[in-house]
Amino acid sequence: MPIASAATAPSRAELVDHLVRTRIAGEVATPRENNLSHYRSLANGDRHYWFGLEFGDRWTDEQDVLAVMAERCGVNDDPHHRQGQDTIDPELTVDALERAAAVLRKAAADRQRVLFATGHPGGLLDVHRATAAALRAKGCDIVAVPGVIAVAEGLVVQFAEVAMLERGATLWHTHSPAPMAAILDQLERDGTPLPDLVMADHGWAGCAGRRGIETVGFADCNDPALFLAEAEGTLQVTIPLDDHVVSPRYYDPLTAYLLDAAGLA
């Protein structure tokens, strides 16, 4: 079956098939031992894996984290499965896309202020860019990053209406919540209204959710924080997917499905 173009929304069955064939979901590239290592690190209080969220002592058992990841992401729920292949349930991915579409539909109807950001520019940039363009066409205000913002890792830049981290003239992969915190702090200092909605990933999404902003996030199976935040109600939606597959074009049918479901195509 050919890959649908960004302009043609696949059916649910076609999208599920595509997600599995491209390993965005199904048997994904992230090995089981990497997933469990990250779940353990989060449970042990390593804030690198908290993505700017605040969990207190609510998730100190690795098995509790695994249970949520099995329920919301579709990883193998067997605690004795310690090595080898792990999975993302493509049906859960599409379910989350449909929940996200409902959030985007409301944002368009209310002409909300929306901020887009990614810590995975090599994978998810165009998903965010296309969604931002579709919402702008419906009258939404896409929030601009205010001026030049420096953080410890580099500079916060905005390209194609998506905030990212730049260092040495290169767009960087980052899990840090600091860039999103810097944007929100600067908006407040400038007296500019905060976003009504954030669509992001990694620490960009975690920070926004912790600040009380309605947030839709994308997350991989080795990044449990956003799934826990959705379980607690801090994030509205967390979409499970491999967030950096071989080609960023593989995400086009997913984007088309999301925008069509939201009435933004």
Side-chain angles (χ1 to χ4, degrees), residues 236-252:
Q236 276 56 49
V237 184
T238 297
I239 301 164
L241 80 179
D242 187 314
D243 52 17
H244 198 138
V245 292
V246 173
S247 170
R249 294 277 66 82
Y250 287 168
Y251 297 105
D252 287 352

Side-chain angles (χ1 to χ4, degrees), residues 117-119 156 163-165 174 176-177 179-180 183 200-208:
T118 184
V156 179
M164 289 165 284
L165 183 71
T174 179
S176 175
M180 177 60 77
I183 293 172
D201 46 71
H202 287 177
W204 302 84
C207 176

